[in-house]
Amino acid sequence: MTQLSLIGVSKIFGNSTVVDNVSLTVEPGKVHVLLGENGAGKSTIIKMMSGIYQPDKGHIEIDGKEVKIPNVDAARKFGIAVIHQELNMVSQLSIMENLFLGHLPTKGGFLDRKTMRRKAEAALKLIGLDEDVSTPMSDLGVARQQMVEIAKALMQDASLLILDEPTAALTGKECRQLFQIMDRLKSKGVGMVFISHHLDEIARVGDVVSVLRDGKYIDTLPASSPESELVKLMVGRNIEDQYPRKASVLGKTLLEVRNLKSEGRINDVSFCVKAGEVVGLAGLVGAGRTEVLRAIFGADSYDSGTIVVDGQTLGKQSIASSIAAGLGLVPEDRRDQGLILEASVADNLGLATMIPTSKFGLVDRKGQKDHEEETAQKLRIRMAGIDQSAGSLSGGNQQKIVFGKWSMANVKVLLLDEPTRGVDVGARVEIYELINSITANGGAVLMASSDLPEVLGMSDRVLVMSNGSLSGEMPASEATQEKVMSLAVSHMDADGSANNEGEK
């Protein structure tokens, strides 16, 4: 089994030191949690462990011997494998073909599909995944795709597995299944590095936690340590209120949805959101929350219904008219739907305001730049500069950019789909304060989230969806997890699952 140690490693990009003299050891058969805010250096550290980056100072040791890991292939030979947050797969290919990407077995100069199938089936059995290996990856949900990635790593005889936010897109049941796999791997002596922003998972899966802040090593302590202690080490301060909702005086109706229907996805949904109000949209995976938000914004078509924003009736599937009416959407998938990764932070922040603020067809570059810099500073976006590419930032900082884009546009109604997925506890509070500022300024927020404590903690009123329908609503002051879950399963199919979205 593999013991990996970082000895005083640093990584420097330009004038910015993103990892500064960090030392830690990952032991066989143990889960070592890396904890820190977005931008703390976690991703850079795992990239050094896996051969994507090389340390500029310090060195890496494996089983007590100094080594160089110049590339991913070298890391694989040392038994190191990574399950990235953005999965490395080809969706059009089968499970079996994805498992053998880059190292296809041959026999007599021809592809040995019989060996592929036998080894693929054995790999899936090892992790308890019951799927036909001929199934296209595109037919699997995110959770099962992730399990295939783990199987792929184990097929390569990985003795040290790095899991980068593996639970970010998983349901509670899927998380429990993943943790059971991790328990089995630990018993076989596999060491693991685990990154997650869900503090309640740390004591369940971890043995020790190393805390990073601003690229520096802070401390290593038992995974059973109190969450309050971990948070203080992460952010350098106490966070007294995890959900700092500040109620606002309610005003006129800013968003009205009437009889919204889309065959197989949305069943006659009607509700309204008032100025100064945060309405939470709760429900299980497949309940139709995302579909409702995307239909309202004009990103997806719908069969019938009416959407009114501040008295203006919107046409179907017109994002431009939605933005013009004062709607904004923070999508579930920020990388593919919320950002232009190759563009700068400045350009991404200005996406929603570039055209409205132009004069005589010319972009007000100075005005835009000043506003972009002000917004980036207000949201504490950690970056080398406003011209840095959005794709090079951490997930939490990317999410802040998406929020900042709509903050600059002074939207009347902000639609939020999983607004804090993959965001650390410190940045979460900053995002919640941004939600508060929107409602304090007379705006409205409709927030869909699978994080039920977040819905209860940051909403004034809760709508519950089940299988494409609204199954109930209640003031947040009267809502409990038990009441919400009871409504969430009220329109389920006989087999206990929602049938409109499944695991797409």
Side-chain angles (χ1 to χ4, degrees):
M1 293 292 105
T2 300
Q3 175 178 289
L4 183 147
S5 299
L6 303 181
I7 311 296
V9 298
S10 297
K11 189 64 186 175
I12 303 167
F13 295 103
N15 297 322
S16 178
T17 301
V18 295
V19 172
D20 188 2
N21 191 30
V22 170
S23 297
L24 56 88
T25 296
V26 183
E27 297 182 8
K30 292 188 176 181
V31 175
H32 197 124
V33 179
L34 287 186
L35 191 62
E37 293 188 272
N38 295 110
K42 305 185 299 295
S43 294
T44 303
I45 283 176
I46 64 175
K47 286 177 180 177
M48 285 192 279
M49 290 178 173
S50 57
I52 297 172
Y53 294 156
Q54 284 70 50
D56 294 316
K57 296 179 182 178
H59 66 274
I60 298 174
E61 292 181 359
I62 291 182
D63 296 332
K65 297 179 181 178
E66 182 175 344
V67 298
K68 301 288 185 185
I69 309 179
N71 51 49
V72 174
D73 285 338
R76 189 179 295 120
K77 290 175 182 176
F78 283 121
I80 301 167
V82 184
I83 310 300
H84 291 286
Q85 189 177 1
E86 281 75 38
L87 299 179
N88 181 25
M89 63 172 192
V90 179
S91 59
Q92 295 84 359
L93 298 182
S94 68
I95 293 173
M96 179 175 68
E97 290 162 335
N98 271 276
L99 287 173
F100 285 92
L101 278 178
H103 53 100
L104 295 170
T106 58
K107 187 175 183 180
F110 295 95
L111 184 62
D112 187 355
R113 297 192 71 86
K114 186 176 180 180
T115 297
M116 284 178 68
R117 176 170 287 275
R118 176 173 52 80
K119 290 187 175 181
E121 288 174 346
L124 295 194
K125 185 177 180 180
L126 181 65
I127 62 167
L129 181 57
D130 183 20
E131 288 283 351
D132 186 332
V133 295
S134 300
T135 303
M137 287 290 283
S138 57
D139 287 358
L140 304 182
V142 173
R144 289 177 175 254
Q145 290 173 359
Q146 210 156 43
M147 292 174 71
V148 172
E149 287 283 293
I150 293 173
K152 182 178 178 181
L154 298 179
M155 282 178 63
Q156 299 164 14
D157 295 323
S159 54
L160 192 148
L161 193 59
I162 300 171
L163 299 106
D164 185 7
E165 295 193 44
T167 62
L170 305 188
T171 65
K173 180 180 178 181
E174 291 162 346
C175 286
R176 290 190 292 273
Q177 191 173 2
L178 173 64
F179 297 157
Q180 289 168 1
I181 293 170
M182 292 175 67
D183 290 340
R184 291 203 296 271
L185 295 177
K186 280 177 63 175
S187 69
K188 296 178 184 296
V190 176
M192 283 168 275
V193 176
F194 183 80
I195 295 177
S196 175
H197 291 306
H198 297 291
L199 298 183
D200 58 332
E201 296 174 351
I202 293 172
R204 165 62 182 86
V205 299
D207 293 292
V208 294
V209 183
S210 287
V211 181
L212 304 168
R213 187 168 72 238
D214 297 329
K216 294 181 173 64
Y217 170 84
I218 302 300
D219 199 2
T220 295
L221 56 166
S224 57
S225 301
E227 289 185 13
S228 58
E229 183 179 355
L230 297 176
V231 170
K232 186 175 181 179
L233 290 172
M234 281 173 61
V235 303
R237 66 186 191 279
N238 286 315
I239 292 181
E240 303 296 341
D241 191 355
Q242 191 175 355
Y243 301 107
R245 175 65 187 138
K246 296 182 179 68
S248 303
V249 177
L250 299 188
K252 62 181 179 179
T253 297
L254 287 182
L255 173 65
E256 187 174 2
V257 178
R258 303 177 196 147
N259 308 114
L260 188 65
K261 297 179 182 178
S262 179
E263 186 175 356
R265 299 185 301 151
I266 305 169
N267 302 323
D268 198 18
V269 167
S270 299
F271 61 88
C272 65
V273 185
K274 295 181 179 293
E277 186 177 32
V278 176
V279 173
L281 198 56
L284 301 176
V285 172
R289 296 165 304 176
T290 294
E291 286 80 356
V292 166
L293 292 188
R294 288 180 58 82
I296 292 171
F297 189 61
D300 290 341
S301 62
Y302 53 92
D303 299 327
S304 61
T306 304
I307 296 167
V308 183
V309 177
D310 197 15
Q312 178 181 343
T313 301
L314 301 185
K316 287 185 181 180
Q317 206 169 354
S318 175
I319 292 176
S321 64
S322 296
I323 294 173
L327 270 179
L329 171 66
V330 175
E332 181 180 22
D333 186 345
R334 60 176 172 259
R335 290 180 66 88
D336 288 342
Q337 299 170 1
L339 294 166
I340 301 174
L341 296 176
E342 299 79 13
S344 67
V345 173
D347 288 343
N348 274 282
L349 285 171
L351 283 174
T353 52
M354 188 177 298
I355 294 176
T357 59
S358 63
K359 298 176 182 178
F360 308 110
L362 299 175
V363 176
D364 179 13
R365 292 191 179 278
K366 184 180 185 306
Q368 282 282 105
K369 192 74 173 282
D370 290 345
H371 201 177
E372 289 155 2
E373 289 178 342
E374 178 186 339
T375 301
Q377 185 175 8
K378 181 176 72 173
L379 296 182
R380 292 178 62 205
I381 297 173
R382 299 189 181 191
M383 57 188 179
I386 199 79
D387 294 321
Q388 184 176 353
S389 69
S392 65
L393 300 185
S394 66
N397 284 300
Q398 290 175 356
Q399 187 75 326
K400 288 184 186 180
I401 294 172
V402 183
F403 266 84
K405 171 177 65 179
W406 299 117
S407 175
M408 282 181 58
N410 294 318
V411 293
K412 296 174 183 175
V413 180
L414 186 59
L415 311 173
L416 305 177
D417 195 358
E418 304 291 356
T420 61
R421 175 173 289 171
V423 175
D424 65 74
V425 64
R428 276 178 174 235
V429 173
E430 292 167 359
I431 287 173
Y432 296 150
E433 293 293 2
L434 178 58
I435 292 172
N436 283 334
S437 70
I438 291 169
T439 56
N441 291 325
V445 173
L446 177 63
M447 178 180 69
S449 175
S450 55
D451 185 339
L452 195 47
E454 176 175 78
V455 172
L456 299 180
M458 283 304 297
S459 301
D460 302 308
R461 185 160 49 98
V462 178
L463 306 178
V464 184
M465 291 197 68
S466 177
N467 204 15
S469 300
L470 273 182
S471 55
E473 81 170 77
M474 66 194 83
S477 59
E478 299 177 8
T480 64
Q481 294 199 31
E482 291 75 18
K483 287 181 180 178
V484 171
M485 288 306 297
S486 176
L487 289 168
V489 300
S490 63
H491 288 74
M492 303 299 282
D493 291 337
D495 65 356
S497 63
N499 67 12
N500 61 307
E501 181 185 358
E503 272 201 315
K504 293 182 182 177

